[in-house]
Amino acid sequence: MTTVVTIKGVDKVFPSRKGADTVALRGIDIEVASGEFVSLLGPSGCGKSTLLRIIGDLLPPTSGQVVVNGKTPAEARRDRDYGMVFQQATLLDWRRVLANIELPLEVAGQAPAERERRAREMLDLVELNEFADHFPWQLSGGMQQRVAIARALTLQPELLLMDEPFGALDEMTRERMQMELMRIWQQTANTVIFVTHSIPEAVFLSTRVVVMSPRPGRIVGVVEIDLPQPRQFETREEPRFFEKLVDVREMLRGAEE
Amino acid sequence: MVATPASPPAPALRPLVGFLLILVALLGLWEGYKLLGQSTGGTIPFTDVNLPVRTDDRSLPHIWEIVGSILAPAQRGSEEPLGLVLARASFVTFREALAGFAAGSTIGILLGLAFVRSPLVERGLMPWVIASQLIPLLAIAPMVVLWAGRYRLPLWIAVAVIAALLSFFPVTVNTVRGLRSPSPTSVEMLRSFAASPTQELRKLRIPASLPYLFTALKVAAGASVIGTLVGELPSGLPDGLGRQLLTFSYYYGSGPEKLFAAVLFSVLLGVVFVALVGLVERLVIPPARRVQS
Ligand SMILES: Nc1ncnc2c1ncn2[C@@H]1O[C@H](COP(=O)(O)OP(=O)(O)OP(=O)(O)O)[C@@H](O)[C@H]1O
Ligand SMILES: [Mg+2]
């Protein structure tokens, strides 16, 4: 298996004028292999979003090294290796759904016909074909997030970075979206790094869960989730699933002491 | 979004009906106030406190007198009704205001873009932009007219400059606000697929700024009319509404209703200008976005 992301000794310090600098991350080492689904799990403020943004070249690390597909994050971003999904869907409300999904293709300079073909394919993938001509505010929160996922996947990125994409959704929608994401992940064979602070969500989705400590964020450990693939609705009811929940929970608790 | 019940009047006419109702109410208030003053002899009922505005026909002419003066000939020995004279003057003033508005808005938009592109430019220029609004208009207007004369520019340009001075400010401020309105996450979303700064501007910031911009353009339209009227006074331009206002204020004693008529036309001019901008807004921004912002 090829390595997609290598993170070595990454620190992140947010300087502050009053001298009380915020150490957000300390000594982060992670390797992510192609096709993996890795969750970053930890309490609020432990630096999950910061780490994700460092990987995605939206923020520079204070020290340490990040390699993505053998390149620096800046090069990887320029090559459009990333698809990103945030807690807010960030759809442009003056564009219809289809045009929202076309946005990355437009930015990449693709021809209109090709753009539309590809965007419709993505709309198929997230099962929202009937809503191509709707405006974002005519969709439910879950549907908006599916559009955001479709948009993130249009350029067929190597690496999907997701920052609490389902954090704003209710529990039932959330579980449906998790199933949906599993199906999409199976179909696209993407590598995913997924930020969450929900333990069941991390265990259900991931092949590995990276557990982080409260600030300054460090990695306390990694739990391999070797539950059978594809994950199904029943996965959540299996005894093995509960065992993994307990493993992760104990690791989290250990981190807080 | 509010559901509108499908009862008459048709939704499109509703603002008009509301406008007419308020107009009737205002006219009623005007005449009612006069009636009240005349019945009490100019004091608030049951007191001997004077009413804030005198109610005699000189201070507050009857509505029908104002309307009558608009329909009556402007001068003795002339066929032309005052209304036509004022309408023609309004059109002249409108053209000047439009020139000032166009120049002011263009400058405002360009400044706004420059400010958002470079915080350094913003910090350097913003104090001057604010200072420009604190210049007493009445003092600067004759100066601008003089300068225009020095360089043999047509006088209407001097007037338009004053209109532009008033109208560029709201446009600058709101362009900056509008261009900065997208959330940081939206910006990160675009950067995640390597959008260039120009693409960020074209695909995100400019569309997001349009509702802000049009709000500013409406304010600027009104301001440009005010600026034009003030500019016309010292310029000695004979054709505009400003001159009419001046003339009728001289002869207030002999015909107060004429000044009121000229004021009415000035207000109408502003209203029409703002409404025109609103019309363009409707064409540019889809309805749903207008409701939201
Ligand atoms: N731009 C910034 N400037 C200064 N400090 C920051 C900045 N961004 C994040 N921080 C700090 O870094 C720490 C980690 O923040 P981060 O957003 O990565 O946490 P998180 O794990 O994603 O939390 P949550 O689960 O609540 O989203 C916090 O203490 C935060 O205050
Ligand atoms: Mg976060």
Side-chain angles (χ1 to χ4, degrees), chain B residues 83-96 239-241 244 262 265-266 269:
Chain B
L84 193 63
V85 172
L86 287 176
R88 208 183 302 118
S90 301
F91 186 67
V92 170
T93 299
F94 175 68
R95 273 196 325 219
E96 294 160 359
D239 307 330
L241 258 185
Q244 302 287 342
F265 270 73
S266 315
L269 174 57

Side-chain angles (χ1 to χ4, degrees), chain B residues 123-188:
Chain B
R123 253 176 290 145
L125 283 184
M126 202 48 159
W128 300 103
V129 167
I130 292 167
S132 74
Q133 300 307 295
L134 304 174
I135 300 172
L137 210 55
L138 278 173
I140 193 115
M143 287 188 239
V144 175
V145 170
L146 274 177
W147 293 335
R150 281 278 296 268
Y151 297 103
R152 302 190 178 286
L153 293 171
L155 277 176
W156 67 266
I157 289 195
V159 176
V161 165
I162 293 160
L165 179 69
L166 273 195
S167 54
F168 91 97
F169 182 73
V171 178
T172 308
V173 172
N174 275 281
T175 302
V176 170
R177 249 170 66 90
L179 291 173
R180 292 213 173 116
S181 65
S183 68
T185 335
S186 303
V187 176
E188 289 192 333

Side-chain angles (χ1 to χ4, degrees), chain A residues 35 38 53 90 94 128 179 227:
Chain A
V38 174
R53 283 159 71 215
T90 65
W94 52 90
L128 284 175
M179 283 307 296
L227 297 168

Side-chain angles (χ1 to χ4, degrees), chain A residues 53 77 80 93 106-107 137, chain B residues 188 191 193 203 288 292:
Chain A
R53 283 159 71 215
R77 188 163 65 89
R80 305 203 165 91
D93 62 6
E106 246 175 79
V107 165
W137 36 265
Chain B
E188 289 192 333
R191 296 200 177 147
F193 40 83
K203 307 228 178 266
Q292 285 182 335

Side-chain angles (χ1 to χ4, degrees), chain B residues 11-291:
Chain B
L13 289 177
R14 291 185 142 217
L16 188 66
V17 172
F19 175 78
L20 288 178
L21 281 177
I22 290 171
L23 181 69
V24 169
L26 283 178
L27 295 180
L29 256 165
W30 182 294
E31 289 297 335
Y33 182 78
K34 271 180 78 75
L35 222 72
L36 174 79
Q38 264 139 35
S39 66
T40 63
T43 59
I44 295 173
F46 312 116
T47 67
D48 43 14
V49 182
N50 281 335
L51 283 166
V53 177
R54 306 232 315 248
T55 57
D56 59 293
D57 289 351
R58 177 164 299 177
S59 308
L60 214 60
H62 281 292
I63 305 275
W64 51 86
E65 277 171 20
I66 298 172
V67 174
S69 79
I70 291 172
L71 299 175
Q75 286 168 325
R76 238 163 284 158
S78 140
E79 289 284 280
E80 256 185 356
L82 179 66
L84 193 63
V85 172
L86 287 176
R88 208 183 302 118
S90 301
F91 186 67
V92 170
T93 299
F94 175 68
R95 273 196 325 219
E96 294 160 359
L98 189 63
F101 169 81
S105 308
T106 309
I107 293 168
I109 290 170
L110 292 179
L111 272 178
L113 284 167
F115 286 5
V116 170
R117 260 288 160 88
S118 155
L120 205 72
V121 173
E122 183 181 15
R123 253 176 290 145
L125 283 184
M126 202 48 159
W128 300 103
V129 167
I130 292 167
S132 74
Q133 300 307 295
L134 304 174
I135 300 172
L137 210 55
L138 278 173
I140 193 115
M143 287 188 239
V144 175
V145 170
L146 274 177
W147 293 335
R150 281 278 296 268
Y151 297 103
R152 302 190 178 286
L153 293 171
L155 277 176
W156 67 266
I157 289 195
V159 176
V161 165
I162 293 160
L165 179 69
L166 273 195
S167 54
F168 91 97
F169 182 73
V171 178
T172 308
V173 172
N174 275 281
T175 302
V176 170
R177 249 170 66 90
L179 291 173
R180 292 213 173 116
S181 65
S183 68
T185 335
S186 303
V187 176
E188 289 192 333
M189 179 268 292
L190 272 162
R191 296 200 177 147
S192 74
F193 40 83
S196 66
T198 313
Q199 285 172 325
E200 189 182 307
L201 202 62
R202 290 218 343 256
K203 307 228 178 266
L204 177 66
R205 295 191 184 275
I206 289 176
S209 75
L210 289 183
Y212 294 83
L213 178 65
F214 273 101
T215 305
L217 289 180
K218 284 186 220 163
V219 176
S224 72
V225 171
I226 305 278
T228 305
L229 291 176
V230 174
E232 277 178 346
L233 298 182
S235 71
L237 269 174
D239 307 330
L241 258 185
R243 179 53 170 276
Q244 302 287 342
L245 284 168
L246 201 61
T247 310
F248 292 134
S249 62
Y250 285 151
Y251 299 110
Y252 187 77
S254 59
E257 65 283 347
K258 287 187 176 173
L259 182 62
F260 278 95
V263 168
L264 183 66
F265 270 73
S266 315
V267 172
L268 279 179
L269 174 57
V271 169
V272 168
F273 200 169
V274 173
L276 282 176
V277 176
L279 211 65
V280 176
E281 179 183 26
R282 277 168 177 274
L283 297 177
V284 172
I285 304 180
R289 289 207 67 213
R290 250 178 286 130
V291 175

